[in-house]
Amino acid sequence: MKRKLSLLLACMLICMAFVSCGKPEGQEPSPSPTPEVAAGPISDEEIAAIKEKAKSIVLTVEDTNFLADDLAKAMAPLLTYVGEIETLLKDPKPEDAEWIASVKKSLEGLKTTKDSIAALTPSASLEDINRLVLATCDMFIASGEKLALAPENQEENLKLSQDYLDIAKKYLDEGTDYLDILMENQPKVETPLEVYNVQLKSNLIGTPELYARFKNNGDKEIDAFSFYVESINNYGEVVKPYGLHDYSSFIYQEGVIKPGESTIDRAYWTIYGADTTKTIRIAVYKYHTTDGTTVEIPVAQLAWTDPLS
């Protein structure tokens, strides 16, 4: 799930890359933009307040899924349309019918993307970030609308388009900061499962294999649990299995683990697609007890082991 959540962060960062690649040559923002443009729909004071609020938010699994799946996927088309608006603004051709058509097409794409985000239903904890994302969309749309009006008053509308683009960039910066604060302040949740006797070996073809035991330190019987393994190479870099995932995910359900007892001592798991693994970290993210209870821990609250020395 961490790899999913990182998609939202990546989406914001890539958007910033598009709008940070420079203003149009010879084009500067308005020297005195209107107060509405200069302030934006969310004030600096409001942004500071929601960042402070983020420090006390505890994400649920549903919140994590909303950020990683719903919001990130809804935002993804922005990458295309923001890039197009930026390119068109760098090389304005208000008298060119093809240029105008491209502006209108990108503008429609931005509006459709905003509608998709507006249709989402975040929890109360995530209403602030959702509002900030929607305000960002509004600023991108306003930039596109001014660009579409360039044939009527080229100098003024091109400058206003850049003004709105700069506000959108500011909101993306703030949104990324907000998510960083949110993730950094998540409490770590300890599970009743303690991992020990961890060993990392390789099979005959060089594929890493994890040997470990897990002890049930709780007061309920556990009949299944799932855990992530983060692989790390000699550079201290995370090795993504097959270059796609942040973690390998495994499950154990080889019988009931009673309180005070451990998993079988011969259990091992093969870490496919990460042959340069030299050390690992482990975190249990879900477990099931024999009374029918399933506990799933949001990725931001996982308690990771130290890297195997």
Side-chain angles (χ1 to χ4, degrees):
M1 290 171 63
K2 179 181 177 182
R3 64 178 178 271
K4 293 180 182 178
L5 187 54
S6 66
L7 178 61
L8 181 59
L9 288 167
C11 188
M12 288 189 163
L13 291 170
I14 294 171
C15 279
M16 283 191 293
F18 275 124
V19 298
S20 297
C21 57
K23 296 181 175 62
E25 187 174 347
Q27 180 67 48
E28 292 295 331
S30 301
S32 300
T34 64
E36 180 182 356
V37 176
I42 303 179
S43 69
D44 291 345
E45 291 75 18
E46 287 180 284
I47 290 173
I50 67 174
K51 282 185 179 181
E52 186 63 29
K53 181 181 174 183
K55 295 178 181 179
S56 60
I57 292 174
V58 177
L59 295 173
T60 64
V61 171
E62 291 73 21
D63 287 336
T64 303
N65 290 339
F66 174 83
L67 289 171
D69 292 326
D70 302 335
L71 187 55
K73 289 177 181 178
M75 285 181 67
L78 283 178
L79 307 183
T80 297
Y81 303 125
V82 171
E84 291 172 352
I85 291 292
E86 174 72 1
T87 299
L88 292 164
L89 185 53
K90 280 186 173 181
D91 186 22
K93 300 176 181 177
E95 308 304 322
D96 187 328
E98 185 175 342
W99 184 87
I100 291 294
S102 295
V103 171
K104 291 181 178 179
K105 180 181 177 182
S106 298
L107 182 56
E108 287 306 308
L110 287 169
K111 290 179 178 178
T112 300
T113 300
K114 186 206 168 177
D115 289 343
S116 296
I117 296 170
L120 300 177
T121 52
S123 70
S125 296
L126 298 179
E127 287 177 350
D128 287 331
I129 185 61
N130 202 56
R131 178 186 171 211
L132 191 53
V133 170
L134 288 171
T136 303
C137 290
D138 285 337
M139 295 299 94
F140 281 134
I141 290 169
S143 177
E145 288 175 339
K146 291 301 179 182
L147 203 57
L149 292 173
E152 300 175 17
N153 189 331
Q154 180 172 337
E155 182 177 0
E156 178 182 354
N157 285 318
L158 288 178
K159 288 182 177 180
L160 286 171
S161 179
Q162 184 65 57
D163 289 339
Y164 282 118
L165 201 61
D166 288 344
I167 295 293
K169 173 186 173 181
K170 170 186 170 182
Y171 285 167
L172 284 172
D173 282 332
E174 300 291 4
T176 303
D177 287 348
Y178 175 94
L179 287 172
D180 286 340
I181 293 169
L182 187 65
M183 298 302 290
E184 289 169 0
N185 286 276
Q186 292 302 298
K188 303 307 175 189
V189 176
E190 298 289 343
T191 76
L193 290 156
E194 174 191 357
V195 59
Y196 67 103
N197 283 0
V198 180
Q199 300 178 63
L200 187 62
K201 302 180 180 180
S202 296
N203 62 20
L204 292 176
I205 61 173
T207 303
E209 292 181 336
L210 165 66
Y211 290 76
R213 299 190 71 185
F214 294 79
K215 181 180 179 181
N216 181 2
N217 290 324
D219 56 6
K220 294 183 179 181
E221 295 180 339
I222 296 174
D223 57 11
F225 65 88
S226 300
F227 62 97
Y228 290 131
V229 172
E230 183 181 65
S231 297
I232 302 168
N233 63 21
N234 280 341
Y235 292 107
E237 301 166 337
V238 173
V239 179
K240 295 188 175 185
Y242 297 108
L244 300 173
H245 312 296
D246 285 347
Y247 314 132
S248 300
S249 180
F250 301 103
I251 186 171
Y252 181 93
Q253 48 185 11
E254 305 298 323
V256 173
I257 312 168
K258 296 180 179 179
E261 295 186 355
S262 299
T263 55
I264 58 176
D265 61 6
R266 64 181 182 276
Y268 73 93
W269 297 265
T270 304
I271 306 173
Y272 292 107
D275 288 354
T276 58
T277 299
K278 295 303 178 184
T279 187
I280 56 165
R281 297 195 307 155
I282 299 170
V284 174
Y285 67 89
K286 184 164 60 174
Y287 62 93
H288 183 269
T289 57
T290 54
D291 64 1
T293 301
T294 297
V295 177
E296 186 171 0
I297 302 165
V299 67
Q301 298 167 25
L302 293 178
W304 288 89
T305 64
D306 293 330
L308 182 64
S309 58

